[in-house]
Amino acid sequence: MSSTKKKRELDLSAFPPGTVTEYSTLVCLACTFDIFTGQLGLAPRTAYSEIKKYTPTIAELTSPQASPPFFDSEEKNPHCPYCKAAKRWHAPFDTFRIDGGKASDAARRKLIKSLPQKDNQFLVIEEKTDKRSVFFNWLENLDHNLELEDDAWLLEISRAYLTRLEPKTDWAEVFEDLRAIRRSNRLSEGWERDGARLFLAPAVYNEAMIVQYLVSRSHVHGGRTFEGRLTLQELIRRLRYGGYLEAKGISQGDQFETFEKLIETLSGGAGNVTVYYIVDRTEFLAKVKSVYARYAS
Ligand SMILES: [Zn+2]
């Protein structure tokens, strides 16, 4: 969900790129008040205090498909798709998902400590997940933000992957005026910029290619990579000939088992991760108050 554009109130600049995902959705307060007063039979005053305490679920706040009383809209003056209520009845919910880990822990603690406490304006919800889902969440966000048909796409995806791999490097600088990315058998690890080209060690190059495949794959045409469109089978064959699979201890198994192991390697192995959701209720609380004032009068 990434509908309403608004100025960011939380300072997220201390987080390495790729560790924070932002979600935004709208809740219709006309629908919400109707549920509380109509279906639940509460008096407006009681409905008001219940709604103020209301905490949507993480699924409601982050699902790509909003369900009532939530909706997403890119319009400037949207109407509720369920009851047609105008904008003054809508309240935005902004949710920030922070992937736990060494790269983000200090920044996260500092941020959470700095949040205002009044009226539970901000909620912090923790959830345990595994490295694989963190990796897929990261992939999904790449998917939404990049233009697949553009050639610069291959560079952008590689840059995103390198940023995930080495969050402390200034990749904006490394990628400035960059024209091409090449595999370099001279490098045993990492990368090296030479003129307008960026050379990647074979393993890094292969992994950038796997990410390109994962982001762009479709069942019919395979995925788009540095080496053209490849089916899963073709991709695996290249990885095998290049020695990548053997180096990662993935030499056994059919293509689906190999694929699973590739995902595990790129995800950073097995293991659990804590994900922190920060829900910003500031505008919601303000809106509930003004809507109630109108409702009760
Ligand atoms: Zn509505």
Side-chain angles (χ1 to χ4, degrees), residues 58-213:
I58 292 304
E60 284 174 317
L61 294 170
T62 63
S63 151
Q65 283 297 320
S67 47
F70 293 89
F71 67 98
D72 293 327
S73 174
E74 298 287 345
E75 284 172 54
K76 221 173 170 187
N77 289 299
H79 286 258
C80 166
Y82 317 115
C83 75
K84 308 288 173 244
K87 198 182 171 185
R88 63 175 187 278
W89 294 90
H90 311 159
F93 266 107
D94 292 322
T95 306
F96 304 85
R97 172 192 156 129
I98 301 169
D99 295 336
K102 273 198 198 107
S104 66
D105 280 348
R108 187 199 75 243
R109 281 192 211 102
K110 200 172 161 205
L111 174 70
I112 290 175
K113 230 174 148 181
S114 75
L115 298 174
Q117 301 290 315
K118 194 169 172 279
D119 296 331
N120 289 324
Q121 198 175 329
F122 286 94
L123 300 174
V124 181
I125 300 163
E126 290 185 29
E127 201 179 84
K128 286 259 184 277
T129 181
D130 52 29
K131 289 184 181 171
R132 186 191 168 95
S133 9
V134 168
F135 178 66
F136 273 100
N137 180 67
W138 173 78
L139 276 180
E140 245 168 63
N141 285 299
L142 293 182
D143 217 347
H144 287 282
N145 300 332
L146 294 170
E147 280 295 328
L148 267 174
E149 295 314 314
D150 190 341
D151 254 8
W153 179 85
L154 290 169
L155 295 187
E156 281 305 313
I157 288 286
S158 312
R159 175 174 166 169
Y161 178 64
L162 288 164
T163 305
R164 184 177 160 86
L165 201 63
E166 281 185 26
K168 294 215 164 106
T169 302
D170 183 353
W171 291 106
E173 196 189 317
V174 176
F175 272 74
E176 206 182 327
D177 301 320
L178 190 75
R179 295 259 182 75
I181 295 181
R182 299 272 182 266
R183 178 202 302 267
S184 165
N185 290 320
R186 240 174 1 91
L187 297 173
S188 59
E189 56 178 29
W191 53 274
E192 190 179 274
R193 173 132 184 198
D194 184 8
R197 291 179 300 177
L198 180 67
F199 291 92
L200 302 179
V204 179
Y205 182 89
N206 284 331
E207 283 166 8
M209 225 163 66
I210 298 168
V211 171
Q212 290 164 350
Y213 171 84

